[in-house]
Each structure stands twice: as structure tokens, then as C-alpha cells.
Amino acid sequence: MVGPARKREAVGHLQAALEMSQRRACNVVGQPRATQRHRPQPDAAERRLRERLHEFSRQRPRAGYRTACGQLRQEGLRVNVKRVQRLWREEGLKVPRKQCKKRRQGTSENGSQRRGATRPNEVWSYDFVSDQTSDGRRLKFLCVVDEFTRECLALVVRRSFRAKDVMVVLAELIAQRGVPAHLRSDNGPEFVALAVQAWLKGNAIGALYIAPGSPWENAYVESFNSRLRDEHLDREEFASLLEAQVLAAAWRRDDNEARPHSALEYLAPAVFAARWRASVGATPLPAPASAETLKP
């Protein structure tokens, strides 16, 4: 049995090939003219879903349909990833293809592939990202990431950092979240300074320095830095240091609390961390304590 859709298609072919009127073509095929002229309209729910996909694509232009599906599920919608993929393609939404990069294991025993985190607050990694304000003056972003939950614990923006400034940021984080077992970093002067090493040792924090020239061994913070560059720094022009600080704080909050992460089954890091603690019966984060005793 031929359905109305196939009959409409046959009528169209007859009109185009034989220059036949619609009335006569419908008579030949046996298709009512009212059915031939009917154009099915998408239901309201699908229209809202398409609009939401466009909104998501504007908010996160570097994300694909899988991340969009994770976001929709996080918002409470029951959607199938294949349906999201179909609508994504029909709406012409896509992410520019990027060249795949080879991941290397590295040679250092302190690399993230060999000494990975198994729980929150076990390994923090930190690094710097550079940018500038519209007047050409330098901006430096200090990023601190929990490797297990992928949470951005700190995103501090200044014109420059000294070793003492790094210790102050870490002391404030420890006062809020507790003492991590290890801190992973490259061999930048702000991280390998004798004062920093002594401070870490005094607070019983192990220092995991990756091999020189091996950024892939600090994979989690490098991945975060790439996302920060792609989704924030390359899209914003900062008029001042204050503006950069305000926008960085807003982006960090959104990245932690709203953005789905593929490595976390498309959950936001804060949501993943809360579910993990609930699943193992872990206590919530400790209440913020005074950081005065931890500051250098």
C-alpha cells in the first residue's frame, strides 16, 4: 500500500515530467487534492527543541550534538541522541573539523597517565595561560583543576604572578576545600621556586613535576587550557584587567555548574562531584577555614 507521502512525490514527478496539471496528476495517482496540498507542520515540542539547539550552538559554538544531548538531558528532557543528531543536521548546525592530535604517553613517572587521580581532592594540576587586554598589555590566567572531577578550582587573572602569589591562591583553595595529596605542574619558575617547594612540603603536599617539554603529561589542565582558549579567550576582547577578572569568574562558574563534559558522561563537573560523593557516602566539602596559617 502506497502512503500519502509517496503519492505526493509521484504527483510532483508527473507534473514536472509531463507538464500535467495538479488536478489531472492527482486523478492519475488517486491522490485527493486536499492531501496533496497539505504540508505537515512540526509539533510545538519539536519546534522548541530545534530552538533550544540553536540557542545551545550560539552559547557553545565549539560543542557538537553529543554535548548538546548531554545538556538537554541535564535540563531534564528525555531525548534520544540519534534524534538530536538528526535535528542538529537538519538545522545546519556543525562544528568546524579540527585536525586530530596524537596523544603520547610521555616519559616522566609523574605524568597524569601513570599517576592519575582516583578520588576528588587527590591530585590538583595547575598551569598558566596568557592573553592580553585591548591596549596590548599582558594578562596571565592561573588555572587550578581537580583532575578527578574536572572542576576548575581557581581561575585567577593578573598582570603577572610571582611564586608568592601562587602560594596565596593555593592557600585560599586549601582553606576552602582541604589539602590535596599531590599538585601536578610543569617546570615553570613560579612552580619550581624553592619557596613553593618548601611550602608544599610544609603542608604535606606531594609535588608532581612533569618532564620538561612534555605538556601531554599534564593532560587534564592542558585540556582545560585548550577549552578556556577556544570557548572564552578567543571569543572575548578585554578592555581592562577588571573586565577580564569578572568574565573569567562567570565563565568558570558556567564551566563548573552547567557545561556538560564528555569525560563525565556529559555531566557538569559540580554535578558529577556531588553524585560521586553521594554514591560513596563521602562527606561534603569541609566548611571554609581560615587561610591565615597557610599563607606564606
mmCIF file of all heavy atoms in Angstrom, residues 131-137 139 159 237-240 243:
data_model
loop_
_atom_site.group_PDB
_atom_site.id
_atom_site.type_symbol
_atom_site.label_atom_id
_atom_site.label_comp_id
_atom_site.label_asym_id
_atom_site.label_seq_id
_atom_site.Cartn_x
_atom_site.Cartn_y
_atom_site.Cartn_z
ATOM 1 N N ASP A 131 47.095 35.957 27.810
ATOM 2 C CA ASP A 131 46.281 36.697 26.856
ATOM 3 C C ASP A 131 46.667 38.166 27.020
ATOM 4 O O ASP A 131 47.690 38.475 27.632
ATOM 5 C CB ASP A 131 44.786 36.455 27.102
ATOM 6 C CG ASP A 131 43.951 36.723 25.853
ATOM 7 O OD1 ASP A 131 44.053 35.940 24.902
ATOM 8 O OD2 ASP A 131 43.220 37.724 25.834
ATOM 9 N N GLN A 132 45.843 39.070 26.505
ATOM 10 C CA GLN A 132 46.143 40.484 26.653
ATOM 11 C C GLN A 132 44.868 41.306 26.610
ATOM 12 O O GLN A 132 43.842 40.859 26.092
ATOM 13 C CB GLN A 132 47.096 40.957 25.564
ATOM 14 C CG GLN A 132 46.530 40.857 24.151
ATOM 15 C CD GLN A 132 47.529 41.290 23.089
ATOM 16 O OE1 GLN A 132 48.717 41.399 23.365
ATOM 17 N NE2 GLN A 132 47.042 41.570 21.898
ATOM 18 N N THR A 133 44.936 42.525 27.157
ATOM 19 C CA THR A 133 43.838 43.465 27.041
ATOM 20 C C THR A 133 43.939 44.190 25.707
ATOM 21 O O THR A 133 44.926 44.067 24.982
ATOM 22 C CB THR A 133 43.865 44.469 28.212
ATOM 23 O OG1 THR A 133 45.205 44.976 28.365
ATOM 24 C CG2 THR A 133 43.439 43.817 29.508
ATOM 25 N N SER A 134 42.904 44.953 25.371
ATOM 26 C CA SER A 134 42.851 45.598 24.056
ATOM 27 C C SER A 134 43.964 46.614 23.859
ATOM 28 O O SER A 134 44.273 46.973 22.722
ATOM 29 C CB SER A 134 41.486 46.265 23.861
ATOM 30 O OG SER A 134 41.197 47.137 24.931
ATOM 31 N N ASP A 135 44.585 47.082 24.953
ATOM 32 C CA ASP A 135 45.697 48.022 24.818
ATOM 33 C C ASP A 135 47.044 47.325 24.651
ATOM 34 O O ASP A 135 48.095 47.977 24.628
ATOM 35 C CB ASP A 135 45.736 48.966 26.013
ATOM 36 C CG ASP A 135 45.886 48.246 27.339
ATOM 37 O OD1 ASP A 135 46.020 46.992 27.339
ATOM 38 O OD2 ASP A 135 45.848 48.910 28.398
ATOM 39 N N GLY A 136 47.026 45.987 24.551
ATOM 40 C CA GLY A 136 48.255 45.240 24.320
ATOM 41 C C GLY A 136 48.984 44.811 25.572
ATOM 42 O O GLY A 136 50.010 44.130 25.478
ATOM 43 N N ARG A 137 48.472 45.160 26.750
ATOM 44 C CA ARG A 137 49.140 44.763 27.988
ATOM 45 C C ARG A 137 48.804 43.319 28.325
ATOM 46 O O ARG A 137 47.718 42.823 28.061
ATOM 47 C CB ARG A 137 48.726 45.688 29.134
ATOM 48 C CG ARG A 137 49.129 47.139 28.917
ATOM 49 C CD ARG A 137 48.642 48.003 30.070
ATOM 50 N NE ARG A 137 49.257 47.615 31.325
ATOM 51 C CZ ARG A 137 48.847 48.046 32.522
ATOM 52 N NH1 ARG A 137 47.792 48.859 32.596
ATOM 53 N NH2 ARG A 137 49.443 47.659 33.617
ATOM 54 N N LEU A 139 47.948 39.749 30.076
ATOM 55 C CA LEU A 139 47.106 39.130 31.093
ATOM 56 C C LEU A 139 47.616 37.714 31.329
ATOM 57 O O LEU A 139 47.981 37.019 30.382
ATOM 58 C CB LEU A 139 45.644 39.064 30.648
ATOM 59 C CG LEU A 139 44.858 40.371 30.599
ATOM 60 C CD1 LEU A 139 43.483 40.119 30.000
ATOM 61 C CD2 LEU A 139 44.725 40.986 31.988
ATOM 62 N N ARG A 159 48.105 40.700 36.005
ATOM 63 C CA ARG A 159 49.083 41.101 35.003
ATOM 64 C C ARG A 159 50.321 40.209 35.054
ATOM 65 O O ARG A 159 50.923 39.908 34.031
ATOM 66 C CB ARG A 159 49.486 42.556 35.222
ATOM 67 C CG ARG A 159 48.369 43.560 35.009
ATOM 68 C CD ARG A 159 47.936 43.631 33.561
ATOM 69 N NE ARG A 159 46.928 44.677 33.348
ATOM 70 C CZ ARG A 159 46.325 44.895 32.196
ATOM 71 N NH1 ARG A 159 46.610 44.150 31.143
ATOM 72 N NH2 ARG A 159 45.426 45.860 32.084
ATOM 73 N N GLU A 237 37.184 40.146 23.916
ATOM 74 C CA GLU A 237 38.224 41.179 23.919
ATOM 75 C C GLU A 237 38.091 41.948 25.228
ATOM 76 O O GLU A 237 37.049 42.531 25.514
ATOM 77 C CB GLU A 237 38.074 42.124 22.733
ATOM 78 C CG GLU A 237 39.158 43.200 22.687
ATOM 79 C CD GLU A 237 39.073 44.059 21.442
ATOM 80 O OE1 GLU A 237 38.235 43.757 20.571
ATOM 81 O OE2 GLU A 237 39.826 45.046 21.365
ATOM 82 N N PHE A 238 39.162 41.941 26.024
ATOM 83 C CA PHE A 238 39.122 42.522 27.357
ATOM 84 C C PHE A 238 39.609 43.967 27.312
ATOM 85 O O PHE A 238 40.723 44.247 26.866
ATOM 86 C CB PHE A 238 39.990 41.715 28.314
ATOM 87 C CG PHE A 238 39.645 40.245 28.331
ATOM 88 C CD1 PHE A 238 40.544 39.306 27.847
ATOM 89 C CD2 PHE A 238 38.422 39.809 28.812
ATOM 90 C CE1 PHE A 238 40.236 37.962 27.855
ATOM 91 C CE2 PHE A 238 38.104 38.467 28.826
ATOM 92 C CZ PHE A 238 39.006 37.542 28.346
ATOM 93 N N ALA A 239 38.766 44.869 27.800
ATOM 94 C CA ALA A 239 39.139 46.275 27.819
ATOM 95 C C ALA A 239 40.033 46.600 29.010
ATOM 96 O O ALA A 239 40.800 47.562 28.966
ATOM 97 C CB ALA A 239 37.887 47.149 27.852
ATOM 98 N N SER A 240 39.925 45.812 30.071
ATOM 99 C CA SER A 240 40.698 46.097 31.287
ATOM 100 C C SER A 240 40.913 44.808 32.062
ATOM 101 O O SER A 240 40.292 43.768 31.790
ATOM 102 C CB SER A 240 39.955 47.112 32.163
ATOM 103 O OG SER A 240 38.730 46.565 32.633
ATOM 104 N N GLU A 243 37.627 43.793 33.845
ATOM 105 C CA GLU A 243 36.678 43.106 32.968
ATOM 106 C C GLU A 243 37.100 41.655 32.753
ATOM 107 O O GLU A 243 36.255 40.743 32.768
ATOM 108 C CB GLU A 243 36.587 43.819 31.621
ATOM 109 C CG GLU A 243 35.575 43.189 30.677
ATOM 110 C CD GLU A 243 35.493 43.885 29.329
ATOM 111 O OE1 GLU A 243 36.480 44.548 28.944
ATOM 112 O OE2 GLU A 243 34.451 43.771 28.675
#
